[in-house]
Amino acid sequence: MTQTVVDDLVAALGDRVSLEAADLERMRGDKSGWLSPGRCEAVVFARSIDDVQTAVRIAARHGVPIVPRGAGTGLAGAATAGPGTVAISVERMNRILEIDYADEIAVVEPGVINQALSDAVAERGYVFSPDPASKAISSIGGNIATDAGGLLCAKYGVTREAVLGLAVVLADGTLLRTGRRTVKGVTGYDLTALFTGSEGTLGIIVEATVRLRPIAQGLVATIGAFFPSTTAAAAACSAITASGIRPAVMELMDPLSVAAIDAYRGTSLGEGGQAFVLVQTDGAGSAEEAEIASRLLVEGGAGRVDMTTDPIEGERLLAIRRSMHPAMETLGHVLIEDVCVPRSRLAEMFDEIARIGAETGLTIPVVAHAGDGNLHPNFVIPVEPGADPGSVVVPDHVWAAADLLFQAGMRLGGTLTGEHGVGVLKRRWLADELGDRSVELQRGIKAVFDPAGLMNPGKVY
């Protein structure tokens, strides 16, 4: 059957279908480090909505599973395609279709890179505010499919807050349009929100209407603070949140993370084994907020606090945080985890991670979006030089430690994932957080949109 579907796809879509080994291999994995056990049967590099509809209809007719694919920068294995499946990539659907400054919206194809949209509207004083650390390489369609978070969430919200409407190709090949272009709208169920974060299990996002935000006017202040301990740094971040000010960015890197970044970038931020807090304020009250944040960081035990209003220096400091993942990758095969706790309990979660590391004998570098309580513990599995990354298997003792992390996060009132999604990596813990009845209802929702179970099977549920 799979050869028949490939033949039909080639006949209908020609050179938009790839059977090249390199393309099939690339579809096996994403930035999570997880690889499917084999290659998919074909990749459709769609260039239009019609291409996606044609490919989905052919696959559905033959009962062949479909894996939607964006830029491949996900961290949960949600867009990985294996044997017996067809990958439908929208990475070449990368046009900005419309920019409407009067209504502060843009209409984009899913393959538009996040940063590219912000660059396109910057001259007119606007920005696309969702800011995952991967915004230079991640696509808007993928950001929507995972409801991506990032550095600016505490003040400007996750991707969901920036999405007004979608065009989605459903599992039978029909096109559904959801949402609106207006600021307000409460007609019917909110299907736009349902598709946002659905990880390709309900349909393929082929167009999005998104909000643009005016770039905050006034001073942008960036603060770097060094702490003798991660717990003290986390407590200081919680104090900033409790003060009522809302920094645009508040990131925390533990000493292990800082050391890895120093080794990667050739810097010396972490001399003395210090934790590093990065705070950025913007908008009309930025200077006052920066002064309050600096004072609270000093009161919280920071040994050194530096502040700059130089935009170049500010971007340099942000680039340090964005380099965390590539720095980890130089050390081996990385499993980047993603737990989120109430902001007031951030320090407690850092203590739990330290305890788990000590109990299991594992070194667990952690970086956190401290402004919203989202932590990223990293497990690094050494890889022999020249070894095939696909041969690396996450050991059972690492998964056991991850289980302890998730349980600790949920005990503190948190969640399994703040922004990466469930994909394949967190399926086994889904019911622990949601409960059996909720999972049952969500499976029922999927069945309404995808009765044959062909859309990204095996992911999330």
Side-chain angles (χ1 to χ4, degrees):
M1 181 179 290
T2 53
Q3 185 57 52
T4 303
V5 77
V6 169
D7 291 343
D8 286 356
L9 287 169
V10 171
L13 295 168
D15 63 2
R16 285 163 169 72
V17 180
S18 175
L19 307 179
E20 294 293 328
D23 290 331
L24 302 182
E25 183 66 22
R26 182 161 63 91
M27 298 297 121
R28 287 182 63 200
D30 60 8
K31 285 289 186 179
S32 70
W34 190 87
L35 290 174
S36 71
R39 297 172 178 171
C40 59
E41 308 305 318
V43 184
V44 176
F45 289 104
R47 292 188 177 274
S48 67
I49 292 175
D50 185 63
D51 286 349
V52 176
Q53 288 185 279
T54 298
V56 169
R57 285 170 180 152
I58 290 171
R61 186 166 68 244
H62 292 285
V64 172
I66 299 156
V67 178
R69 177 83 175 194
T73 61
L75 291 166
T80 53
T85 70
V86 170
I88 300 181
S89 169
V90 295
E91 63 189 273
R92 297 179 185 176
M93 295 175 65
N94 55 9
R95 296 177 301 159
I96 298 173
L97 302 174
E98 179 187 355
I99 297 173
D100 183 338
Y101 293 109
D103 285 326
E104 297 184 331
I105 62 173
V107 181
V108 300
E109 291 184 324
V112 172
I113 297 300
N114 181 303
Q115 184 65 57
L117 178 57
S118 287
D119 290 344
V121 299
E123 188 175 341
R124 291 286 296 270
Y126 283 84
V127 68
F128 179 58
S129 58
D131 184 15
S134 60
K135 69 176 184 177
I137 57 173
S138 62
S139 62
I140 292 175
N143 293 166
I144 296 170
T146 58
D147 195 12
L151 277 64
L152 298 176
C153 295
K155 186 169 185 177
Y156 296 111
V158 294
T159 299
R160 185 184 306 278
E161 276 70 57
V163 182
L164 289 172
L166 296 171
V168 183
V169 174
L170 301 178
D172 61 358
T174 57
L175 181 68
L176 173 69
R177 291 191 177 273
T178 74
R180 60 201 185 277
R181 294 169 65 100
T182 56
V183 173
K184 297 166 67 177
V186 293
T187 308
Y189 294 129
D190 190 351
L191 296 183
T192 303
L194 180 61
F195 281 106
T196 302
S198 62
E199 301 186 50
T201 61
L202 302 179
I204 303 177
I205 296 166
V206 291
E207 185 181 289
T209 300
V210 298
R211 298 176 189 268
L212 302 175
R213 175 178 62 82
I215 295 173
Q217 298 300 304
L219 191 75
V220 175
T222 307
I223 305 164
F226 296 86
F227 284 81
S229 75
T230 305
T231 301
C237 290
S238 294
I240 290 174
T241 298
S243 74
I245 67 172
R246 286 293 174 268
V249 174
M250 186 157 64
E251 298 289 303
L252 194 166
M253 288 157 273
D254 75 352
L256 294 169
S257 300
V258 176
I261 291 169
D262 278 344
Y264 175 69
R265 296 177 61 92
T267 53
S268 56
L269 283 172
E271 289 181 343
Q274 299 183 93
F276 182 61
V277 172
L278 177 66
V279 177
Q280 189 172 81
T281 62
D282 64 5
S286 175
E288 182 182 357
E289 288 189 335
E291 289 297 332
I292 294 171
S294 296
R295 174 175 56 80
L296 291 171
L297 291 168
V298 171
E299 291 176 358
R304 174 182 156 197
V305 177
D306 300 321
M307 183 172 71
T308 181
T309 56
D310 180 353
I312 295 175
E313 179 64 12
E315 281 302 312
R316 186 189 70 80
L317 289 171
L318 287 176
I320 291 170
R321 165 61 184 87
R322 296 186 197 281
S323 67
M324 171 62 180
H325 185 55
M328 289 290 106
E329 286 183 319
T330 66
L331 303 178
H333 179 95
V334 186
L335 175 66
I336 305 176
E337 278 309 337
D338 165 40
V339 293
C340 192
V341 297
R343 292 174 292 187
S344 61
R345 311 198 76 172
L346 188 67
E348 292 176 75
M349 189 62 203
F350 270 104
D351 285 343
E352 288 286 341
I353 294 170
R355 176 185 62 78
I356 292 164
E359 286 181 3
T360 60
L362 293 171
T363 300
I364 310 174
V366 185
V367 64
H369 305 307
D372 53 31
N374 194 181
L375 303 95
H376 297 308
N378 289 256
F379 296 96
V380 181
I381 298 101
V383 179
E384 293 296 326
D388 175 12
S391 67
V392 177
V393 176
V394 177
D396 288 342
H397 70 277
V398 170
W399 284 123
D403 177 69
L404 295 174
L405 283 174
F406 303 149
Q407 298 299 337
M410 287 187 284
R411 278 199 309 273
L412 293 174
T415 177
L416 289 169
T417 174
E419 58 186 12
H420 293 172
V422 175
V424 296
L425 295 186
K426 292 191 173 180
R427 291 176 303 185
R428 72 182 82 172
W429 293 281
L430 193 67
D432 291 344
E433 177 176 335
L434 299 181
D436 292 338
R437 180 57 175 152
S438 179
V439 171
E440 179 187 0
L441 288 169
Q442 293 192 35
R443 287 181 183 275
I445 291 170
K446 175 171 170 55
V448 170
F449 287 89
D450 179 23
L454 299 179
M455 195 61 69
N456 216 11
K459 311 300 171 51
V460 184
Y461 303 103

